[in-house]
PDB file of all heavy atoms in Angstrom:
ATOM      1  N   THR A  64      23.378 -29.162  11.404  1.00  0.00           N
ATOM      2  CA  THR A  64      23.965 -29.203  12.733  1.00  0.00           C
ATOM      3  C   THR A  64      22.862 -28.602  13.850  1.00  0.00           C
ATOM      4  O   THR A  64      22.741 -29.201  14.859  1.00  0.00           O
ATOM      5  CB  THR A  64      25.235 -28.490  12.822  1.00  0.00           C
ATOM      6  OG1 THR A  64      26.132 -28.913  11.860  1.00  0.00           O
ATOM      7  CG2 THR A  64      25.879 -28.375  14.221  1.00  0.00           C
ATOM      8  N   VAL A  65      22.284 -27.586  13.428  1.00  0.00           N
ATOM      9  CA  VAL A  65      21.233 -27.053  14.299  1.00  0.00           C
ATOM     10  C   VAL A  65      20.147 -27.933  14.502  1.00  0.00           C
ATOM     11  O   VAL A  65      19.585 -28.173  15.718  1.00  0.00           O
ATOM     12  CB  VAL A  65      20.741 -25.672  13.696  1.00  0.00           C
ATOM     13  CG1 VAL A  65      19.488 -25.181  14.439  1.00  0.00           C
ATOM     14  CG2 VAL A  65      21.808 -24.581  13.837  1.00  0.00           C
ATOM     15  N   ARG A  66      19.764 -28.597  13.454  1.00  0.00           N
ATOM     16  CA  ARG A  66      18.618 -29.685  13.601  1.00  0.00           C
ATOM     17  C   ARG A  66      19.033 -30.769  14.562  1.00  0.00           C
ATOM     18  O   ARG A  66      18.363 -31.229  15.399  1.00  0.00           O
ATOM     19  CB  ARG A  66      18.156 -30.190  12.251  1.00  0.00           C
ATOM     20  CG  ARG A  66      17.167 -29.229  11.629  1.00  0.00           C
ATOM     21  CD  ARG A  66      16.724 -29.857  10.323  1.00  0.00           C
ATOM     22  NE  ARG A  66      17.677 -29.884   9.221  1.00  0.00           N
ATOM     23  CZ  ARG A  66      17.977 -28.874   8.476  1.00  0.00           C
ATOM     24  NH1 ARG A  66      17.413 -27.687   8.613  1.00  0.00           N
ATOM     25  NH2 ARG A  66      18.808 -29.057   7.466  1.00  0.00           N
ATOM     26  N   SER A  67      20.332 -31.200  14.403  1.00  0.00           N
ATOM     27  CA  SER A  67      20.911 -32.280  15.202  1.00  0.00           C
ATOM     28  C   SER A  67      20.900 -31.861  16.689  1.00  0.00           C
ATOM     29  O   SER A  67      20.496 -32.557  17.583  1.00  0.00           O
ATOM     30  CB  SER A  67      22.332 -32.659  14.868  1.00  0.00           C
ATOM     31  OG  SER A  67      22.204 -33.279  13.526  1.00  0.00           O
ATOM     32  N   VAL A  68      21.358 -30.613  17.086  1.00  0.00           N
ATOM     33  CA  VAL A  68      21.461 -30.103  18.273  1.00  0.00           C
ATOM     34  C   VAL A  68      19.984 -29.992  19.048  1.00  0.00           C
ATOM     35  O   VAL A  68      19.663 -30.373  20.126  1.00  0.00           O
ATOM     36  CB  VAL A  68      22.113 -28.748  18.429  1.00  0.00           C
ATOM     37  CG1 VAL A  68      21.830 -27.968  19.729  1.00  0.00           C
ATOM     38  CG2 VAL A  68      23.580 -28.876  18.069  1.00  0.00           C
ATOM     39  N   ALA A  69      18.993 -29.568  18.041  1.00  0.00           N
ATOM     40  CA  ALA A  69      17.602 -29.539  18.492  1.00  0.00           C
ATOM     41  C   ALA A  69      17.076 -30.836  18.980  1.00  0.00           C
ATOM     42  O   ALA A  69      16.444 -31.092  19.915  1.00  0.00           O
ATOM     43  CB  ALA A  69      16.693 -28.899  17.458  1.00  0.00           C
ATOM     44  N   ASP A  70      17.407 -31.865  18.065  1.00  0.00           N
ATOM     45  CA  ASP A  70      16.984 -33.253  18.299  1.00  0.00           C
ATOM     46  C   ASP A  70      17.490 -33.683  19.784  1.00  0.00           C
ATOM     47  O   ASP A  70      16.874 -34.363  20.480  1.00  0.00           O
ATOM     48  CB  ASP A  70      17.409 -34.148  17.247  1.00  0.00           C
ATOM     49  CG  ASP A  70      16.545 -33.951  15.945  1.00  0.00           C
ATOM     50  OD1 ASP A  70      15.483 -33.291  15.964  1.00  0.00           O
ATOM     51  OD2 ASP A  70      17.060 -34.372  14.879  1.00  0.00           O
ATOM     52  N   VAL A  71      18.878 -33.452  19.901  1.00  0.00           N
ATOM     53  CA  VAL A  71      19.523 -33.968  21.171  1.00  0.00           C
ATOM     54  C   VAL A  71      18.969 -33.266  22.394  1.00  0.00           C
ATOM     55  O   VAL A  71      18.744 -33.823  23.355  1.00  0.00           O
ATOM     56  CB  VAL A  71      21.134 -33.796  20.967  1.00  0.00           C
ATOM     57  CG1 VAL A  71      21.722 -34.026  22.417  1.00  0.00           C
ATOM     58  CG2 VAL A  71      21.708 -34.664  19.957  1.00  0.00           C
ATOM     59  N   THR A  72      18.723 -32.021  22.166  1.00  0.00           N
ATOM     60  CA  THR A  72      18.094 -31.193  23.215  1.00  0.00           C
ATOM     61  C   THR A  72      16.648 -31.774  23.621  1.00  0.00           C
ATOM     62  O   THR A  72      16.363 -31.878  24.772  1.00  0.00           O
ATOM     63  CB  THR A  72      18.052 -29.699  22.869  1.00  0.00           C
ATOM     64  OG1 THR A  72      19.316 -29.292  22.553  1.00  0.00           O
ATOM     65  CG2 THR A  72      17.465 -28.952  24.043  1.00  0.00           C
ATOM     66  N   THR A  73      15.863 -32.095  22.615  1.00  0.00           N
ATOM     67  CA  THR A  73      14.582 -32.642  22.839  1.00  0.00           C
ATOM     68  C   THR A  73      14.681 -33.942  23.595  1.00  0.00           C
ATOM     69  O   THR A  73      14.033 -34.146  24.650  1.00  0.00           O
ATOM     70  CB  THR A  73      13.855 -32.823  21.473  1.00  0.00           C
ATOM     71  OG1 THR A  73      13.709 -31.572  20.842  1.00  0.00           O
ATOM     72  CG2 THR A  73      12.459 -33.495  21.672  1.00  0.00           C
ATOM     73  N   ASP A  74      15.714 -34.822  23.172  1.00  0.00           N
ATOM     74  CA  ASP A  74      15.935 -36.045  23.784  1.00  0.00           C
ATOM     75  C   ASP A  74      16.359 -35.936  25.285  1.00  0.00           C
ATOM     76  O   ASP A  74      15.875 -36.617  26.166  1.00  0.00           O
ATOM     77  CB  ASP A  74      16.890 -36.919  22.946  1.00  0.00           C
ATOM     78  CG  ASP A  74      16.475 -37.382  21.660  1.00  0.00           C
ATOM     79  OD1 ASP A  74      15.244 -37.360  21.520  1.00  0.00           O
ATOM     80  OD2 ASP A  74      17.241 -37.792  20.916  1.00  0.00           O
ATOM     81  N   MET A  75      17.196 -34.956  25.472  1.00  0.00           N
ATOM     82  CA  MET A  75      17.767 -34.721  26.827  1.00  0.00           C
ATOM     83  C   MET A  75      16.515 -34.225  27.719  1.00  0.00           C
ATOM     84  O   MET A  75      16.376 -34.621  28.836  1.00  0.00           O
ATOM     85  CB  MET A  75      18.834 -33.669  26.842  1.00  0.00           C
ATOM     86  CG  MET A  75      20.139 -34.064  26.290  1.00  0.00           C
ATOM     87  SD  MET A  75      21.433 -32.883  26.198  1.00  0.00           S
ATOM     88  CE  MET A  75      21.651 -32.449  27.848  1.00  0.00           C
ATOM     89  N   ASN A  76      15.654 -33.310  27.104  1.00  0.00           N
ATOM     90  CA  ASN A  76      14.592 -32.826  27.891  1.00  0.00           C
ATOM     91  C   ASN A  76      13.622 -34.026  28.379  1.00  0.00           C
ATOM     92  O   ASN A  76      13.113 -34.033  29.475  1.00  0.00           O
ATOM     93  CB  ASN A  76      13.844 -31.831  27.033  1.00  0.00           C
ATOM     94  CG  ASN A  76      12.800 -30.982  27.901  1.00  0.00           C
ATOM     95  OD1 ASN A  76      12.965 -30.858  29.155  1.00  0.00           O
ATOM     96  ND2 ASN A  76      11.751 -30.634  27.259  1.00  0.00           N
ATOM     97  N   GLN A  77      13.447 -34.915  27.352  1.00  0.00           N
ATOM     98  CA  GLN A  77      12.533 -36.125  27.720  1.00  0.00           C
ATOM     99  C   GLN A  77      13.160 -36.940  28.840  1.00  0.00           C
ATOM    100  O   GLN A  77      12.529 -37.429  29.675  1.00  0.00           O
ATOM    101  CB  GLN A  77      12.311 -36.974  26.560  1.00  0.00           C
ATOM    102  CG  GLN A  77      11.362 -36.148  25.345  1.00  0.00           C
ATOM    103  CD  GLN A  77      11.217 -37.031  24.089  1.00  0.00           C
ATOM    104  OE1 GLN A  77      12.037 -37.978  23.968  1.00  0.00           O
ATOM    105  NE2 GLN A  77      10.407 -36.593  23.315  1.00  0.00           N
ATOM    106  N   GLU A  78      14.536 -37.228  28.639  1.00  0.00           N
ATOM    107  CA  GLU A  78      15.259 -37.953  29.715  1.00  0.00           C
ATOM    108  C   GLU A  78      15.247 -37.235  31.105  1.00  0.00           C
ATOM    109  O   GLU A  78      14.905 -37.835  32.144  1.00  0.00           O
ATOM    110  CB  GLU A  78      16.685 -38.104  29.286  1.00  0.00           C
ATOM    111  CG  GLU A  78      16.868 -39.124  28.126  1.00  0.00           C
ATOM    112  CD  GLU A  78      16.344 -40.504  28.424  1.00  0.00           C
ATOM    113  OE1 GLU A  78      16.525 -40.944  29.511  1.00  0.00           O
ATOM    114  OE2 GLU A  78      15.769 -41.123  27.425  1.00  0.00           O
TER     115      GLU A  78
END
Side-chain angles (χ1 to χ4, degrees):
T64 302
V65 168
R66 281 188 285 282
S67 295
V68 168
D70 291 343
V71 168
T72 302
T73 300
D74 291 345
M75 286 176 62
N76 192 30
Q77 289 173 351
E78 291 298 322

